[in-house]
Amino acid sequence: LPPMHAFAAATTYPARYINQRKLGAIAPGYHADFMILDDFSVFPPRQVYVSGKCVAANGEMLNTIPHTQPEIPHYPPLTWEVSLDLFRIADAGVHETKTMPVVALQTKHTTLTRLASAEIELQDGFPVFAKGDDLAITAILARDGKTHFAGLIRGTGFTEGAFASTVSHDCHNLIVIGRDPGAMAVAARRIHELGGGGVVTRKDHVIAELDLPYFGLLSNGEVHEVAVGMESIQQQL
């Protein structure tokens, strides 16, 4: 993009879209938030101003940033009593083989999916997976405890264990994926203990986790701590 188009896409356009009429531009009545650059295409800027005050210059902060953290708001990551029943894809007591719908990931690099189907053996409402079938259970638990769904997904690459996360655009309910309902329950319970985040489990053991206590999306930890947690999850998936 030409630099001015890129700046507009990051400032004026989103401010207009969310009706923030005092942000996104330099004009009378606007907040005096702006930066000075030596060249439109070169970063970092020479100076940064917030509310008309210079807060950074020549790569150095001029103001002291307070290190106190705001109180963590009450935002329940999960209100369910976690049990294996949440991960059944058919009614309890069902023992049969039937054709069931499957959410099929088209690639491992995007969330684009298509509708597929598979012949599934059910034992007491749980699927019996075969080696190499690339199937897993996926469950979504609403934060308010009013609704939940469990079904089948293909293409995740899961061969064992489970993964749970409260970062699931756009609703950010709890999503749990796995081939082992027991491991899925362990992951969901650990998410509740953390107040949100991501967890990878094998059988009844947590092998990687990242806690995100602010709305299940954000951390109050140091950047390197969050990076370590994120990398541990990616390595185990």
Side-chain angles (χ1 to χ4, degrees), residues 13-22:
Y13 298 160
R16 292 294 175 276
Y17 185 79
I18 61 175
N19 201 32
Q20 292 295 316
R21 297 293 175 175
K22 293 185 178 182

Side-chain angles (χ1 to χ4, degrees), residues 12-226:
T12 302
Y13 298 160
R16 292 294 175 276
Y17 185 79
I18 61 175
N19 201 32
Q20 292 295 316
R21 297 293 175 175
K22 293 185 178 182
L23 300 175
I26 301 174
Y30 281 64
H31 295 306
D33 301 335
F34 60 92
M35 57 188 174
I36 298 175
L37 301 97
D38 294 314
D39 185 290
F40 280 137
S41 59
V42 176
F43 276 77
R46 179 150 49 92
Q47 293 176 317
V48 177
Y49 286 78
V50 176
S51 298
K53 296 181 180 180
C54 185
V55 297
N58 302 315
E60 299 289 337
M61 289 294 300
L62 303 182
N63 287 8
T64 301
I65 299 177
H67 291 284
T68 56
Q69 299 287 350
E71 182 180 351
I72 296 178
H74 176 68
Y75 192 71
L78 183 65
T79 55
W80 296 83
E81 287 293 330
V82 178
S83 68
L84 295 183
D85 291 336
L86 294 174
F87 308 114
R88 280 191 173 91
I89 64 170
D91 292 336
V94 172
H95 300 271
E96 63 179 345
T97 298
K98 61 185 299 186
T99 300
M100 301 196 70
V102 175
V103 175
L105 295 174
Q106 295 198 24
T107 76
K108 294 185 183 299
H109 307 292
T110 72
T111 55
L112 189 63
T113 63
R114 62 181 176 83
L115 178 62
S117 62
E119 288 288 321
I120 301 295
E121 179 187 349
L122 298 169
Q123 290 187 2
D124 196 21
F126 294 105
V128 178
F129 294 119
K131 185 177 181 180
D133 60 15
D134 201 16
L135 291 171
I137 302 168
T138 180
I140 298 175
L141 311 180
R143 288 178 182 268
D144 60 10
K146 293 181 180 179
T147 60
H148 91 285
F149 173 82
L152 293 170
I153 190 168
R154 172 181 285 149
T156 64
F158 274 68
T159 58
E160 60 178 338
F163 169 65
S165 175
T166 51
V167 182
S168 54
H169 298 300
D170 287 322
C171 61
H172 299 292
N173 293 314
L174 176 66
I175 183 169
V176 190
I177 299 174
R179 287 172 65 89
D180 177 356
M184 295 174 73
V186 171
R189 292 187 186 109
R190 182 55 179 159
I191 285 283
H192 185 270
E193 293 171 356
L194 293 175
V199 171
V200 181
T201 56
R202 295 288 184 272
K203 298 186 183 300
D204 59 350
H205 300 292
V206 174
I207 60 174
E209 66 181 31
L210 170 63
D211 61 316
L212 301 172
Y214 287 87
F215 307 106
L217 301 174
L218 303 172
S219 171
N220 59 352
E222 298 291 337
V223 171
H224 71 275
E225 296 172 347
V226 177

